[in-house]
Amino acid sequence: MAQLIKLQDYASRYTADPYRYPSRFIRLKQQNWKRMKQVWDQYKQNGRDTMDEEMREYMFNGHIPESEQELKQYFLNGLLPFQFKWASRTLTEMSFLDRYYEKDSTLIYFLQRFPDTFLLMYEPIFKIKKAPVETDHLLIHPQGIYCISFVDIPDTDMLIAGDDRTWYQDSNQIRSRMLSPLVSLKRSSRIVRSILHAYEIDLPVKQIVLAPNHPILFEYEPYQTEYVGMEEYEGWFHKMRTFSSPLKSIQLKAVSALLSYTQITSVRRPEWEDDSMDSFMHD
């Protein structure tokens, strides 16, 4: 499960301590998965009568998954509210979460389909020369940073890559113009590279046009750019999903630098609000 380290201009637990929270999330996730899996295994082995009603309600909301795959999905779904909490508040500040994000299929796709060591900045807003600048999604990988434009246009059969300014969408052989995703991707990667340069961080930055539901017709890919359409998607996704690496110090250094330039809109948290970490799934 990729970690949501920044959501738009919200306060983020990761901003407060970018070196501590990524590894803490992984540790808490592993501990809670192990606990849930043990309870589920005991139930599958010994039957429903061995699990009292209170534990069933607390751990599984009354419904016990039938298969391990269903259990994993239940666990990942249960982590989403926790992810949103860390991505919208610190110990002292909080931002008002737009409930839209809780159902945002693109955001949930990124969070649930990639490894824990992939750190996601979703629709981040940077403050450059005191002016807010919106960028594409950033996926900070242990070996580099991906600026990602996710393209999914209803009723479009194919995307046709044109120049840096204009692409085309083909729907039932009717072609219409669209703004090239490279416009925002170039702006995003330029901002990322300038911040990395300021902190003397040597980490590759790559631009990705991600359109898993549409073929992309193109003659060539620009420098440091990858087009991932319907035909390229399975290979790209398998490579990303099976990538195995611990968090890297240079990766966390890049996260710290990038977060330091992001805009934050927040208010002070009520002093009486509970911030207990006793339960990862129910925090």
Side-chain angles (χ1 to χ4, degrees), residues 210-272:
L210 182 59
N213 299 317
H214 309 291
I216 301 177
L217 182 64
F218 62 94
E219 294 184 2
Y220 68 94
E221 294 171 326
Y223 178 63
Q224 293 182 326
T225 302
E226 186 175 4
Y227 296 153
V228 183
M230 184 184 293
E231 296 172 356
E232 298 82 17
Y233 177 73
E234 287 301 326
W236 176 84
F237 179 69
H238 178 75
K239 180 180 68 176
M240 295 284 281
R241 187 172 173 81
T242 58
F243 178 83
S244 179
S245 170
L247 293 164
K248 301 289 188 179
S249 59
I250 192 171
Q251 177 190 14
L252 298 181
K253 186 177 180 181
V255 165
S256 178
L258 291 170
L259 289 176
S260 71
Y261 276 84
T262 55
Q263 179 165 295
I264 299 174
T265 303
S266 63
V267 298
R268 189 161 184 83
R269 287 179 59 178
E271 294 181 1
W272 61 82

Side-chain angles (χ1 to χ4, degrees), residues 34-70:
K34 183 178 179 180
R35 182 175 62 175
M36 179 175 284
K37 181 68 163 50
Q38 286 175 341
V39 172
W40 186 78
D41 284 339
Q42 290 172 0
Y43 160 74
K44 296 298 287 185
Q45 181 177 353
N46 301 318
R48 180 176 297 270
D49 292 340
T50 62
M51 186 187 298
D52 60 49
E53 191 66 28
E54 182 179 355
M55 176 61 75
R56 188 156 54 242
E57 285 296 332
Y58 175 75
M59 190 72 78
F60 299 109
N61 293 323
H63 171 72
I64 301 176
E66 292 297 323
S67 65
E68 185 170 332
Q69 187 60 40
E70 187 181 344

Side-chain angles (χ1 to χ4, degrees), residues 3-272:
Q3 300 186 48
L4 182 58
I5 64 171
K6 183 65 176 179
L7 179 59
Q8 211 179 52
D9 62 345
Y10 294 178
S12 168
R13 196 71 58 97
Y14 293 87
T15 304
D17 195 339
Y19 291 96
R20 174 189 177 201
Y21 281 101
S23 58
R24 187 178 186 188
F25 176 89
I26 294 173
R27 184 176 66 254
L28 288 169
K29 179 190 171 187
Q30 291 173 343
Q31 290 172 351
N32 280 267
W33 165 250
K34 183 178 179 180
R35 182 175 62 175
M36 179 175 284
K37 181 68 163 50
Q38 286 175 341
V39 172
W40 186 78
D41 284 339
Q42 290 172 0
Y43 160 74
K44 296 298 287 185
Q45 181 177 353
N46 301 318
R48 180 176 297 270
D49 292 340
T50 62
M51 186 187 298
D52 60 49
E53 191 66 28
E54 182 179 355
M55 176 61 75
R56 188 156 54 242
E57 285 296 332
Y58 175 75
M59 190 72 78
F60 299 109
N61 293 323
H63 171 72
I64 301 176
E66 292 297 323
S67 65
E68 185 170 332
Q69 187 60 40
E70 187 181 344
L71 178 70
K72 289 179 180 178
Q73 189 60 54
Y74 173 83
F75 180 73
L76 291 177
N77 291 342
L79 286 177
L80 287 174
F82 186 85
Q83 287 258 50
F84 290 131
K85 181 174 181 179
W86 273 22
S88 61
R89 66 186 67 188
T90 66
L91 296 178
T92 58
E93 300 292 318
M94 63 177 290
S95 302
F96 296 102
L97 179 68
D98 188 333
R99 297 301 177 188
Y100 161 80
Y101 289 113
E102 296 178 344
K103 303 295 183 182
D104 185 339
S105 59
T106 303
L107 174 55
I108 294 172
Y109 159 80
F110 279 118
L111 293 182
Q112 294 194 339
R113 306 301 296 277
F114 295 96
D116 297 341
T117 55
F118 287 27
L119 309 178
L120 176 67
M121 300 177 70
Y122 194 79
E123 299 179 351
I125 299 177
F126 288 87
K127 207 163 188 179
I128 307 298
K129 296 181 180 179
K130 298 183 179 181
V133 180
E134 298 181 4
T135 68
D136 291 291
H137 312 310
L138 304 181
L139 199 59
I140 298 92
H141 181 284
Q143 295 181 344
I145 299 176
Y146 299 127
C147 302
I148 302 177
S149 175
F150 192 95
V151 183
D152 189 10
I153 302 173
D155 302 322
T156 294
D157 299 328
M158 178 182 293
L159 297 171
I160 302 171
D163 55 28
D164 288 352
R165 298 287 311 175
T166 304
W167 278 30
Y168 303 89
Q169 54 189 89
D170 189 297
S171 179
N172 295 322
Q173 298 183 339
I174 299 175
R175 185 175 296 188
S176 57
R177 290 174 180 266
M178 61 176 283
L179 182 65
S180 169
L182 296 179
V183 174
S184 61
L185 278 176
K186 286 189 173 183
R187 181 179 66 247
S188 300
S189 61
R190 187 164 53 246
I191 290 172
V192 170
R193 289 191 179 98
S194 66
I195 294 173
L196 296 183
H197 179 74
Y199 283 81
E200 299 182 344
I201 300 171
D202 185 15
L203 201 59
V205 179
K206 192 170 186 176
Q207 302 171 164
I208 295 179
V209 179
L210 182 59
N213 299 317
H214 309 291
I216 301 177
L217 182 64
F218 62 94
E219 294 184 2
Y220 68 94
E221 294 171 326
Y223 178 63
Q224 293 182 326
T225 302
E226 186 175 4
Y227 296 153
V228 183
M230 184 184 293
E231 296 172 356
E232 298 82 17
Y233 177 73
E234 287 301 326
W236 176 84
F237 179 69
H238 178 75
K239 180 180 68 176
M240 295 284 281
R241 187 172 173 81
T242 58
F243 178 83
S244 179
S245 170
L247 293 164
K248 301 289 188 179
S249 59
I250 192 171
Q251 177 190 14
L252 298 181
K253 186 177 180 181
V255 165
S256 178
L258 291 170
L259 289 176
S260 71
Y261 276 84
T262 55
Q263 179 165 295
I264 299 174
T265 303
S266 63
V267 298
R268 189 161 184 83
R269 287 179 59 178
E271 294 181 1
W272 61 82

Side-chain angles (χ1 to χ4, degrees), residues 269-283:
R269 287 179 59 178
E271 294 181 1
W272 61 82
E273 187 177 47
D274 181 27
D275 196 50
S276 172
M277 291 295 295
D278 293 338
S279 172
F280 184 49
M281 291 291 292
H282 300 275
D283 183 33

